[in-house]
Amino acid sequence: MESPIRVLVLHGANLNLLGTREPGVYGSQTLADINAAIRAHAPTVGVTIVDCIQSNHEGVLIDAIHSARDTADAIVFNPGAFTHYSHAIADAVRAVSPAVVTIEVHLSNVHAREEFRRVSVIASACAGQIAGFGATSYLLGVSAAVSVVQASRSR
Amino acid sequence: MESPIRVLVLHGANLNLLGTREPGVYGSQTLADINAAIRAHAPTVGVTIVDCIQSNHEGVLIDAIHSARDTADAIVFNPGAFTHYSHAIADAVRAVSPAVVTIEVHLSNVHAREEFRRVSVIASACAGQIAGFGATSYLLGVSAAVSVVQASRSR
Amino acid sequence: MESPIRVLVLHGANLNLLGTREPGVYGSQTLADINAAIRAHAPTVGVTIVDCIQSNHEGVLIDAIHSARDTADAIVFNPGAFTHYSHAIADAVRAVSPAVVTIEVHLSNVHAREEFRRVSVIASACAGQIAGFGATSYLLGVSAAVSVVQASRSR
Amino acid sequence: MESPIRVLVLHGANLNLLGTREPGVYGSQTLADINAAIRAHAPTVGVTIVDCIQSNHEGVLIDAIHSARDTADAIVFNPGAFTHYSHAIADAVRAVSPAVVTIEVHLSNVHAREEFRRVSVIASACAGQIAGFGATSYLLGVSAAVSVVQASRSR
Amino acid sequence: MESPIRVLVLHGANLNLLGTREPGVYGSQTLADINAAIRAHAPTVGVTIVDCIQSNHEGVLIDAIHSARDTADAIVFNPGAFTHYSHAIADAVRAVSPAVVTIEVHLSNVHAREEFRRVSVIASACAGQIAGFGATSYLLGVSAAVSVVQASRSR
Amino acid sequence: MESPIRVLVLHGANLNLLGTREPGVYGSQTLADINAAIRAHAPTVGVTIVDCIQSNHEGVLIDAIHSARDTADAIVFNPGAFTHYSHAIADAVRAVSPAVVTIEVHLSNVHAREEFRRVSVIASACAGQIAGFGATSYLLGVSAAVSVVQASRSR
Amino acid sequence: MESPIRVLVLHGANLNLLGTREPGVYGSQTLADINAAIRAHAPTVGVTIVDCIQSNHEGVLIDAIHSARDTADAIVFNPGAFTHYSHAIADAVRAVSPAVVTIEVHLSNVHAREEFRRVSVIASACAGQIAGFGATSYLLGVSAAVSVVQASRSR
Amino acid sequence: MESPIRVLVLHGANLNLLGTREPGVYGSQTLADINAAIRAHAPTVGVTIVDCIQSNHEGVLIDAIHSARDTADAIVFNPGAFTHYSHAIADAVRAVSPAVVTIEVHLSNVHAREEFRRVSVIASACAGQIAGFGATSYLLGVSAAVSVVQASRSR
Amino acid sequence: MESPIRVLVLHGANLNLLGTREPGVYGSQTLADINAAIRAHAPTVGVTIVDCIQSNHEGVLIDAIHSARDTADAIVFNPGAFTHYSHAIADAVRAVSPAVVTIEVHLSNVHAREEFRRVSVIASACAGQIAGFGATSYLLGVSAAVSVVQASRSR
Amino acid sequence: MESPIRVLVLHGANLNLLGTREPGVYGSQTLADINAAIRAHAPTVGVTIVDCIQSNHEGVLIDAIHSARDTADAIVFNPGAFTHYSHAIADAVRAVSPAVVTIEVHLSNVHAREEFRRVSVIASACAGQIAGFGATSYLLGVSAAVSVVQASRSR
Amino acid sequence: MESPIRVLVLHGANLNLLGTREPGVYGSQTLADINAAIRAHAPTVGVTIVDCIQSNHEGVLIDAIHSARDTADAIVFNPGAFTHYSHAIADAVRAVSPAVVTIEVHLSNVHAREEFRRVSVIASACAGQIAGFGATSYLLGVSAAVSVVQASRSR
Amino acid sequence: MESPIRVLVLHGANLNLLGTREPGVYGSQTLADINAAIRAHAPTVGVTIVDCIQSNHEGVLIDAIHSARDTADAIVFNPGAFTHYSHAIADAVRAVSPAVVTIEVHLSNVHAREEFRRVSVIASACAGQIAGFGATSYLLGVSAAVSVVQASRSR
């Protein structure tokens, strides 16, 4: 229970444009801002951030999820629009589970937007979902990861 | 920004049975345990818990949501099974918004369960949703409320 | 045909907040204003208003519908969001029919709003529906009740 | 507010057969009877009936709606079966709006009949809908038109 | 039972192009050929053809159906593509029924073609349907009309 | 063109009860009456009836359809309720086609009855369909068979 | 009311394997055990069991239902998987009704199993349905048959 | 196995109107009549009726189900129209299971009525379902409860 | 390849109101402006405009499409709202094809608007579709017609 | 592992017509040819073919599946069109499993044909599926059976 | 308005095979041919082609769309099969809009092909769509881009 | 017919984790084990394995399929989760067909798993499908490839 919890932060498609893309929906923070906030928050809850990766390539995200088996206890993952159709990413999350726990996070409240954004093909492979709180969604995701990993360690 | 954030905690149908009902799905903590944990967590993030209410009566929940206009800045709300069909509760949440912000929380990852649990008719009226982390979902919900209320106060 | 027509006015979920809730959609009149307007209009068309009841509790509305068998010839009923899912209310309306005639009214044009508001599970139990004219919907509902009750009396 | 409100009454497909067609559903009044009742009612609520037009031709109805821009403040419109599929009529109503307000009326309670009659492709283009009160639906429609036009004049 | 049976033959949209339009689907006979064949067949089964009307105008077809109340016992009707969406024509058929019986006929087997051609919104208003036999569908339709009218006369 | 046309008449499930089963829907003629009427009609249109078979067993009907390859030019077939789900019968009809032409007939207007009766999984395998004319549907079916077989012989 | 009620017990597809097939779902009693229990129970409620028939052949079941017109007042019927698609069996039940009343029974609670088992195309043809009580479903079915037959006899 | 089986009888929405409401559908017995019949039948099968409760309030029914944990072995439950949408009641039934077994009963054959009545969101939480036998459905439900409770006791 | 390409321009329902109707969606140009722009553009791409016709009458449009067989090589056609339901117009386009090629054009991007506007029942009968470029959609349509007609001439 | 693997080959509806039926889809080999090829292939992979049965009768196929419990380790089964609706056959396959393993085979690639052929109600009861390779599908099915049976024997 | 309009041409999955892949559907021009035609056409309408990129990698296309923010005013984009499911590409188009305008083009008339090709998840993010004119679709797309960019510049 | 058949083996998303991922579903063999088994089996059926490629990148798989035009006669392809949504991969398979034949294989019986796994958007582009036999599915796929390629060579 004492060893720090290792978390991989994963950002999916188009999140590299954060701060420039539809700020009314996604806020004005850049991805660098968010990563910095995550890195600042992590040690306060006993978490080491092993890496923050963004990619617009589904395959790169799958490879990163696979590699987490060796480097991380949990993934805090905002899949972007891949959320709604990438069964391959969902299977990758399943494949590394339960050794690696995945927390799905979204900046916006996807449940209050277009129809297609209300369906997550990835959710059923994750431990839980946090949506609607902007960059704070990630920070809550890191805290949630702590809770889930500690619970499984104490089992 | 200095005044404490007032949060009403609302529990919907069947949550009074927590700890006895399907512990494999919902955990072994009782509702009293969860309320205690919330009350312990709140001051650490600058939150005053104005009340913790549970009811199996949809109308009681609606009345409580209405009353929050005078007493709370945010509601951390686990609607239980009302999540999936109570448009009346959803309209109540809309009616007090944006003065009162609502955060939808669920103990289990509703997106990974039966088909009917994947639809929330209430989600589109809320600021965001947190699901899958047991009692921790509530604590994250309280923290999320802080983030949302502070953002709207600073606007 | 000479005896006055007795009408019960019934308001469903969240209508107690009228005037404060989304005035762009529902107008700025309070429920008291609307009830006063109905009471002023009623005698001009030969109607006695037996009561004006609002409740956020589905069961209270069902009980009120049942009680109308003894006190009213017609109900002018805005079920609020119960319109879209309360088969129990619809069965209550059916149960007192045709002795008590029910007129469904809505402040807004529900047919021009969100998908879920276009379906009324209650409509098929009512004599007719009036939607979209704000408080005037109720006044037209009272007049419609006169027409329906007189037609059935003359049969 | 003083100038009289000009209303065009429009009857769609098959309404010329009223009184002969399925009287159990549509009543025994002829279209001439209904028009006479409308013309008698109109002055009592400050309305001038500019014309009463019936056509089985969708195009004729569209042309009439267009022409209302010069002659009417409101249309009281029973589209008959065009209600359920004529997007062209719906677009015509949208095209003259908000200068000309349209009130959709139906003799029968379309919401309690065959499945296809429960969908109105025209409703979302109208100010509101009145259904189920026989010829009285038209009279209520004229009164509703007064309410809507006065509200927009006073804005 | 002795008086001849009067039949109106009605052809809907695009049937004026018969013989030139997709002969693989609709055959090479022109509409004039078909009308001639019908007129030749009619007397052999005790039928007088009161008229053969073709129109691409939905309203003209509705007017013709209405007028049949005075002139015909039955309509042999190929609505063309109106079959699949014209609820107004269906209501016209209902409005003249049962005084005037309508037999729906199609040249091609609509049940074996594109999805949209398998739905007839008019069928439920007709006595029966005959599809797939080219021009012969009309001749069978005339014979069917005799059967239906005689049955109703002998009731 | 001179050789007589050989027609097999096939009756599906429950048609042995004709005359006793729901006479309001299916008429009061027995199956023997209908077979006699068909046999009387056939020679007047140049048809030899090779057999009239009824079975409540799907497999017996399939075997009969197969055997028609040696004995018949056409089948006049009322599949009864098998119409709505027996893809095996539909494939049997396809398997003997085009050597043997199948005409689908129904006593009642299936398109005006329960939802499930409006779908024929067999229709797309047949030359055409005749529905709604009671026993006359079969006679028209025999005549239709003549038309289809002659057309294919003259090709 | 004095004459004994004659009941035919009918078992559909695969029920001959009872006791060997998925005992977790269907229990360990054999069909012979169940038939014996039914025969033991029948006289205690004034019922004569005319026969207990099992078949995997849809046509045999239809023939048995037809034959019940001469031998039984009611059928206690577990159609097995035919429940979900055999419109032919449903029509057979309709064809002998109301002279012969059919009670649909199921060993397991079909409403709590796979999606396809929740739809019964036969239910609407039956007097009622009993599901979920193992062999007891049949015994309750026999008692229910008594109730329905006595009610119809006393009418 | 010797201790008597304790059964709670629960009636949902609108069942207090039994005998007055649509007697063609629901029969002419009052709820008091039915409760009396249940209480008369219970001892004959070794059952003690702990209470008979009716409510139009969903929350009252949920509370009653919860309280059954201390007082009953089984619930014989006719949820009325709540059957079709109250996931909260369904979750209450799940929450007390398997300690308390629930038997769903309906007066009418819900599977043969309107589309919405064919879906029970509660069924999958119950041991089984009995529908279509009027007041007898309750008596059969009591007997079924005996069977289910005895089976679980003997395990 | 040298003879000029003859193009008929066809405008469907409500397009006569262009410039006055919802300019935010449809722009401020009138139909006369657009026709003038088309006539100016045509000779620059070797096209003769044979006529520009607008009608709110489906039948008039069908007749115009039929007449194009004698006068035009291509139709540039904005069907307006008929796009979404007029199978009769679609069949007219099919009937004159491939002799006359039809290019479907829309002022607005119909694929980004209301659900019903995303379905074109006419598209499958046309050579192609151009949507979203205001009046320019027509000019592009004329150019596209040149491309399609030249390709078919050179075949 | 040494005892030979016993395989029953089962052919469903219409497969007796192989070689004559739609050879473009199903090839020109007869069923006898295919059975001969299977019998030639079987010994090369250590399989004894216990029987090759074809039937157009669903019940005969169910009986054959049941009998396989005593005679076979595996069934190589092409259900023909029963694939798409026979839940009774699917339950038969489930009932003999896992003692008898079933391999579903199809001559054509059912996934590339009509919509209804893409759904197999039987697939979920089988070990696996092979489709699209003509008679070779059966040979591969026999080899697959060896693999599945050996795997289960070695467990 | 004077500065040239910069257009990026983007080709999605499998378009590198043009000329070899299903020429009946996609024509015999290679991608190099099309790019050459675009480059020849561009200057005649005042457009500079900044690049022509083809990729079978969704991520490469997203990166290219992102990079267009610095290099292009518009994208003429044929997404190939990504059209039908890549919400990630659609979000990329939204993310660079309105600074970069995207015109969706297709070689074939996707609205007249398989069902899945009729849905574009990308269309709602684009200014408009052009489909069905082979390589000419791209040229029209370039011209359309000029129209859209000029309109936005003059705003 | 003598030249060896060249087969490319292609593995899609997440198959690199075989042996570690959900062994209960996918078995304990690694991908290297499977490739070795394929390479051992190939020469026994006259096949040369040109390469075994695995990728989690959709674009890499598409490129590999394209390259097969020069190097392979057939592809034995397990697309993993891409099976269920990658229309781009499906179009790639279509683009190289019929020169290169594709056989779709799956380790598990996808037809017996989650709903989304029962739909293959790729199947209609392939020669056939083999699912459910673990690593043996690949070996059967190689044998099937031989059969399909030989059949096309002998044509």
Side-chain angles (χ1 to χ4, degrees), chain E residues 11-16 21 54-57 61 78-82, chain I residues 62 66 88-89 91:
Chain E
H11 309 282
N14 297 302
L15 290 162
N16 54 316
R21 169 192 176 204
Q54 188 276 333
S55 179
N56 298 320
H57 297 245
L61 294 168
N78 178 351
F82 291 129
Chain I
I62 294 171
H66 288 184
I89 286 179
D91 272 0

PDB file of all heavy atoms in Angstrom, chain E residues 11-16 21 54-57 61 78-82, chain I residues 62 66 88-89 91:
ATOM      1  N   HIS E  11     -55.061   5.750 -62.139  1.00  0.00           N
ATOM      2  CA  HIS E  11     -53.619   5.518 -62.245  1.00  0.00           C
ATOM      3  C   HIS E  11     -52.881   6.692 -61.617  1.00  0.00           C
ATOM      4  O   HIS E  11     -53.124   7.848 -61.979  1.00  0.00           O
ATOM      5  CB  HIS E  11     -53.173   5.421 -63.706  1.00  0.00           C
ATOM      6  CG  HIS E  11     -53.934   4.472 -64.575  1.00  0.00           C
ATOM      7  ND1 HIS E  11     -53.735   3.124 -64.547  1.00  0.00           N
ATOM      8  CD2 HIS E  11     -54.903   4.677 -65.507  1.00  0.00           C
ATOM      9  CE1 HIS E  11     -54.531   2.528 -65.449  1.00  0.00           C
ATOM     10  NE2 HIS E  11     -55.262   3.463 -66.030  1.00  0.00           N
ATOM     11  N   GLY E  12     -51.933   6.421 -60.748  1.00  0.00           N
ATOM     12  CA  GLY E  12     -51.203   7.485 -60.057  1.00  0.00           C
ATOM     13  C   GLY E  12     -49.952   7.931 -60.779  1.00  0.00           C
ATOM     14  O   GLY E  12     -49.827   7.806 -62.009  1.00  0.00           O
ATOM     15  N   ALA E  13     -49.005   8.404 -60.009  1.00  0.00           N
ATOM     16  CA  ALA E  13     -47.827   9.104 -60.521  1.00  0.00           C
ATOM     17  C   ALA E  13     -46.985   8.283 -61.490  1.00  0.00           C
ATOM     18  O   ALA E  13     -46.681   7.116 -61.235  1.00  0.00           O
ATOM     19  CB  ALA E  13     -46.954   9.542 -59.353  1.00  0.00           C
ATOM     20  N   ASN E  14     -46.604   8.909 -62.569  1.00  0.00           N
ATOM     21  CA  ASN E  14     -45.644   8.398 -63.564  1.00  0.00           C
ATOM     22  C   ASN E  14     -46.200   7.284 -64.442  1.00  0.00           C
ATOM     23  O   ASN E  14     -45.497   6.821 -65.351  1.00  0.00           O
ATOM     24  CB  ASN E  14     -44.357   7.903 -62.869  1.00  0.00           C
ATOM     25  CG  ASN E  14     -43.634   9.032 -62.142  1.00  0.00           C
ATOM     26  OD1 ASN E  14     -43.276  10.023 -62.766  1.00  0.00           O
ATOM     27  ND2 ASN E  14     -43.469   8.902 -60.834  1.00  0.00           N
ATOM     28  N   LEU E  15     -47.449   6.881 -64.231  1.00  0.00           N
ATOM     29  CA  LEU E  15     -47.964   5.779 -65.034  1.00  0.00           C
ATOM     30  C   LEU E  15     -48.261   6.212 -66.454  1.00  0.00           C
ATOM     31  O   LEU E  15     -48.385   5.375 -67.353  1.00  0.00           O
ATOM     32  CB  LEU E  15     -49.176   5.143 -64.341  1.00  0.00           C
ATOM     33  CG  LEU E  15     -48.742   4.385 -63.073  1.00  0.00           C
ATOM     34  CD1 LEU E  15     -49.906   4.111 -62.144  1.00  0.00           C
ATOM     35  CD2 LEU E  15     -48.046   3.086 -63.439  1.00  0.00           C
ATOM     36  N   ASN E  16     -48.352   7.525 -66.707  1.00  0.00           N
ATOM     37  CA  ASN E  16     -48.480   8.018 -68.080  1.00  0.00           C
ATOM     38  C   ASN E  16     -47.272   7.663 -68.929  1.00  0.00           C
ATOM     39  O   ASN E  16     -47.349   7.644 -70.142  1.00  0.00           O
ATOM     40  CB  ASN E  16     -48.685   9.537 -68.080  1.00  0.00           C
ATOM     41  CG  ASN E  16     -47.595  10.267 -67.301  1.00  0.00           C
ATOM     42  OD1 ASN E  16     -47.223   9.833 -66.202  1.00  0.00           O
ATOM     43  ND2 ASN E  16     -47.082  11.348 -67.864  1.00  0.00           N
ATOM     44  N   ARG E  21     -40.928   3.720 -69.589  1.00  0.00           N
ATOM     45  CA  ARG E  21     -40.198   3.769 -68.322  1.00  0.00           C
ATOM     46  C   ARG E  21     -39.785   2.371 -67.868  1.00  0.00           C
ATOM     47  O   ARG E  21     -40.638   1.515 -67.666  1.00  0.00           O
ATOM     48  CB  ARG E  21     -41.126   4.399 -67.279  1.00  0.00           C
ATOM     49  CG  ARG E  21     -40.666   4.308 -65.846  1.00  0.00           C
ATOM     50  CD  ARG E  21     -41.809   4.704 -64.926  1.00  0.00           C
ATOM     51  NE  ARG E  21     -41.436   4.548 -63.529  1.00  0.00           N
ATOM     52  CZ  ARG E  21     -42.297   4.373 -62.543  1.00  0.00           C
ATOM     53  NH1 ARG E  21     -43.589   4.342 -62.794  1.00  0.00           N
ATOM     54  NH2 ARG E  21     -41.874   4.236 -61.310  1.00  0.00           N
ATOM     55  N   GLN E  54     -55.627   9.221 -65.206  1.00  0.00           N
ATOM     56  CA  GLN E  54     -54.242   9.184 -64.720  1.00  0.00           C
ATOM     57  C   GLN E  54     -53.856  10.593 -64.289  1.00  0.00           C
ATOM     58  O   GLN E  54     -54.210  11.567 -64.943  1.00  0.00           O
ATOM     59  CB  GLN E  54     -53.281   8.694 -65.816  1.00  0.00           C
ATOM     60  CG  GLN E  54     -51.860   8.440 -65.317  1.00  0.00           C
ATOM     61  CD  GLN E  54     -50.975   9.681 -65.257  1.00  0.00           C
ATOM     62  OE1 GLN E  54     -51.167  10.629 -65.989  1.00  0.00           O
ATOM     63  NE2 GLN E  54     -50.010   9.683 -64.350  1.00  0.00           N
ATOM     64  N   SER E  55     -53.137  10.702 -63.192  1.00  0.00           N
ATOM     65  CA  SER E  55     -52.627  12.014 -62.805  1.00  0.00           C
ATOM     66  C   SER E  55     -51.355  11.842 -61.984  1.00  0.00           C
ATOM     67  O   SER E  55     -51.208  10.900 -61.210  1.00  0.00           O
ATOM     68  CB  SER E  55     -53.649  12.798 -61.979  1.00  0.00           C
ATOM     69  OG  SER E  55     -53.087  14.058 -61.624  1.00  0.00           O
ATOM     70  N   ASN E  56     -50.456  12.820 -62.167  1.00  0.00           N
ATOM     71  CA  ASN E  56     -49.268  12.900 -61.332  1.00  0.00           C
ATOM     72  C   ASN E  56     -49.514  13.811 -60.137  1.00  0.00           C
ATOM     73  O   ASN E  56     -48.590  14.051 -59.352  1.00  0.00           O
ATOM     74  CB  ASN E  56     -48.091  13.422 -62.159  1.00  0.00           C
ATOM     75  CG  ASN E  56     -47.752  12.503 -63.305  1.00  0.00           C
ATOM     76  OD1 ASN E  56     -47.788  11.287 -63.154  1.00  0.00           O
ATOM     77  ND2 ASN E  56     -47.459  13.073 -64.467  1.00  0.00           N
ATOM     78  N   HIS E  57     -50.734  14.330 -60.012  1.00  0.00           N
ATOM     79  CA  HIS E  57     -51.087  15.275 -58.959  1.00  0.00           C
ATOM     80  C   HIS E  57     -51.901  14.557 -57.894  1.00  0.00           C
ATOM     81  O   HIS E  57     -53.023  14.122 -58.142  1.00  0.00           O
ATOM     82  CB  HIS E  57     -51.882  16.445 -59.533  1.00  0.00           C
ATOM     83  CG  HIS E  57     -51.122  17.261 -60.529  1.00  0.00           C
ATOM     84  ND1 HIS E  57     -50.778  18.575 -60.321  1.00  0.00           N
ATOM     85  CD2 HIS E  57     -50.610  16.940 -61.746  1.00  0.00           C
ATOM     86  CE1 HIS E  57     -50.097  19.041 -61.378  1.00  0.00           C
ATOM     87  NE2 HIS E  57     -49.990  18.055 -62.252  1.00  0.00           N
ATOM     88  N   LEU E  61     -56.024  13.115 -57.787  1.00  0.00           N
ATOM     89  CA  LEU E  61     -56.435  11.742 -57.457  1.00  0.00           C
ATOM     90  C   LEU E  61     -57.435  11.754 -56.296  1.00  0.00           C
ATOM     91  O   LEU E  61     -58.430  11.027 -56.297  1.00  0.00           O
ATOM     92  CB  LEU E  61     -55.219  10.891 -57.117  1.00  0.00           C
ATOM     93  CG  LEU E  61     -54.255  10.648 -58.293  1.00  0.00           C
ATOM     94  CD1 LEU E  61     -52.934  10.059 -57.796  1.00  0.00           C
ATOM     95  CD2 LEU E  61     -54.889   9.732 -59.345  1.00  0.00           C
ATOM     96  N   ASN E  78     -54.164   1.977 -59.033  1.00  0.00           N
ATOM     97  CA  ASN E  78     -52.713   1.821 -58.940  1.00  0.00           C
ATOM     98  C   ASN E  78     -52.133   3.176 -58.540  1.00  0.00           C
ATOM     99  O   ASN E  78     -51.973   4.044 -59.394  1.00  0.00           O
ATOM    100  CB  ASN E  78     -52.136   1.368 -60.286  1.00  0.00           C
ATOM    101  CG  ASN E  78     -50.612   1.236 -60.217  1.00  0.00           C
ATOM    102  OD1 ASN E  78     -49.980   1.634 -59.243  1.00  0.00           O
ATOM    103  ND2 ASN E  78     -50.031   0.686 -61.275  1.00  0.00           N
ATOM    104  N   PRO E  79     -51.841   3.376 -57.272  1.00  0.00           N
ATOM    105  CA  PRO E  79     -51.424   4.717 -56.834  1.00  0.00           C
ATOM    106  C   PRO E  79     -49.997   5.082 -57.247  1.00  0.00           C
ATOM    107  O   PRO E  79     -49.567   6.204 -56.998  1.00  0.00           O
ATOM    108  CB  PRO E  79     -51.516   4.640 -55.299  1.00  0.00           C
ATOM    109  CG  PRO E  79     -52.169   3.331 -54.973  1.00  0.00           C
ATOM    110  CD  PRO E  79     -51.963   2.442 -56.147  1.00  0.00           C
ATOM    111  N   GLY E  80     -49.264   4.160 -57.887  1.00  0.00           N
ATOM    112  CA  GLY E  80     -47.856   4.454 -58.177  1.00  0.00           C
ATOM    113  C   GLY E  80     -47.133   4.721 -56.871  1.00  0.00           C
ATOM    114  O   GLY E  80     -47.467   4.167 -55.822  1.00  0.00           O
ATOM    115  N   ALA E  81     -46.155   5.607 -56.940  1.00  0.00           N
ATOM    116  CA  ALA E  81     -45.326   5.847 -55.748  1.00  0.00           C
ATOM    117  C   ALA E  81     -46.088   6.521 -54.612  1.00  0.00           C
ATOM    118  O   ALA E  81     -45.606   6.533 -53.470  1.00  0.00           O
ATOM    119  CB  ALA E  81     -44.105   6.687 -56.124  1.00  0.00           C
ATOM    120  N   PHE E  82     -47.265   7.085 -54.884  1.00  0.00           N
ATOM    121  CA  PHE E  82     -48.056   7.641 -53.770  1.00  0.00           C
ATOM    122  C   PHE E  82     -48.407   6.555 -52.741  1.00  0.00           C
ATOM    123  O   PHE E  82     -48.672   6.839 -51.580  1.00  0.00           O
ATOM    124  CB  PHE E  82     -49.348   8.294 -54.284  1.00  0.00           C
ATOM    125  CG  PHE E  82     -49.133   9.548 -55.078  1.00  0.00           C
ATOM    126  CD1 PHE E  82     -49.728   9.713 -56.332  1.00  0.00           C
ATOM    127  CD2 PHE E  82     -48.340  10.581 -54.588  1.00  0.00           C
ATOM    128  CE1 PHE E  82     -49.526  10.878 -57.070  1.00  0.00           C
ATOM    129  CE2 PHE E  82     -48.138  11.748 -55.334  1.00  0.00           C
ATOM    130  CZ  PHE E  82     -48.735  11.899 -56.582  1.00  0.00           C
TER     131      PHE E  82
ATOM    132  N   ILE I  62     -43.411  16.947 -61.343  1.00  0.00           N
ATOM    133  CA  ILE I  62     -43.360  15.659 -62.048  1.00  0.00           C
ATOM    134  C   ILE I  62     -43.628  15.865 -63.536  1.00  0.00           C
ATOM    135  O   ILE I  62     -42.902  15.341 -64.395  1.00  0.00           O
ATOM    136  CB  ILE I  62     -44.379  14.667 -61.431  1.00  0.00           C
ATOM    137  CG1 ILE I  62     -43.968  14.322 -59.997  1.00  0.00           C
ATOM    138  CG2 ILE I  62     -44.473  13.395 -62.283  1.00  0.00           C
ATOM    139  CD1 ILE I  62     -45.011  13.518 -59.224  1.00  0.00           C
ATOM    140  N   HIS I  66     -41.095  15.012 -66.659  1.00  0.00           N
ATOM    141  CA  HIS I  66     -41.498  14.217 -67.832  1.00  0.00           C
ATOM    142  C   HIS I  66     -41.238  14.976 -69.124  1.00  0.00           C
ATOM    143  O   HIS I  66     -40.724  14.426 -70.092  1.00  0.00           O
ATOM    144  CB  HIS I  66     -42.985  13.863 -67.739  1.00  0.00           C
ATOM    145  CG  HIS I  66     -43.319  12.845 -66.704  1.00  0.00           C
ATOM    146  ND1 HIS I  66     -44.578  12.340 -66.523  1.00  0.00           N
ATOM    147  CD2 HIS I  66     -42.549  12.228 -65.772  1.00  0.00           C
ATOM    148  CE1 HIS I  66     -44.582  11.471 -65.535  1.00  0.00           C
ATOM    149  NE2 HIS I  66     -43.368  11.381 -65.057  1.00  0.00           N
ATOM    150  N   ALA I  88     -42.752   9.885 -55.512  1.00  0.00           N
ATOM    151  CA  ALA I  88     -43.318  10.097 -56.846  1.00  0.00           C
ATOM    152  C   ALA I  88     -42.363  10.920 -57.707  1.00  0.00           C
ATOM    153  O   ALA I  88     -42.155  10.634 -58.886  1.00  0.00           O
ATOM    154  CB  ALA I  88     -44.684  10.781 -56.741  1.00  0.00           C
ATOM    155  N   ILE I  89     -41.773  11.958 -57.122  1.00  0.00           N
ATOM    156  CA  ILE I  89     -40.776  12.739 -57.861  1.00  0.00           C
ATOM    157  C   ILE I  89     -39.558  11.862 -58.149  1.00  0.00           C
ATOM    158  O   ILE I  89     -39.004  11.894 -59.255  1.00  0.00           O
ATOM    159  CB  ILE I  89     -40.390  13.999 -57.059  1.00  0.00           C
ATOM    160  CG1 ILE I  89     -41.539  15.019 -57.115  1.00  0.00           C
ATOM    161  CG2 ILE I  89     -39.106  14.610 -57.597  1.00  0.00           C
ATOM    162  CD1 ILE I  89     -41.285  16.300 -56.332  1.00  0.00           C
ATOM    163  N   ASP I  91     -39.465   8.691 -58.622  1.00  0.00           N
ATOM    164  CA  ASP I  91     -39.795   7.793 -59.728  1.00  0.00           C
ATOM    165  C   ASP I  91     -39.831   8.541 -61.064  1.00  0.00           C
ATOM    166  O   ASP I  91     -39.489   7.973 -62.109  1.00  0.00           O
ATOM    167  CB  ASP I  91     -41.153   7.114 -59.473  1.00  0.00           C
ATOM    168  CG  ASP I  91     -40.998   5.816 -58.674  1.00  0.00           C
ATOM    169  OD1 ASP I  91     -39.861   5.455 -58.335  1.00  0.00           O
ATOM    170  OD2 ASP I  91     -42.022   5.174 -58.407  1.00  0.00           O
TER     171      ASP I  91
END
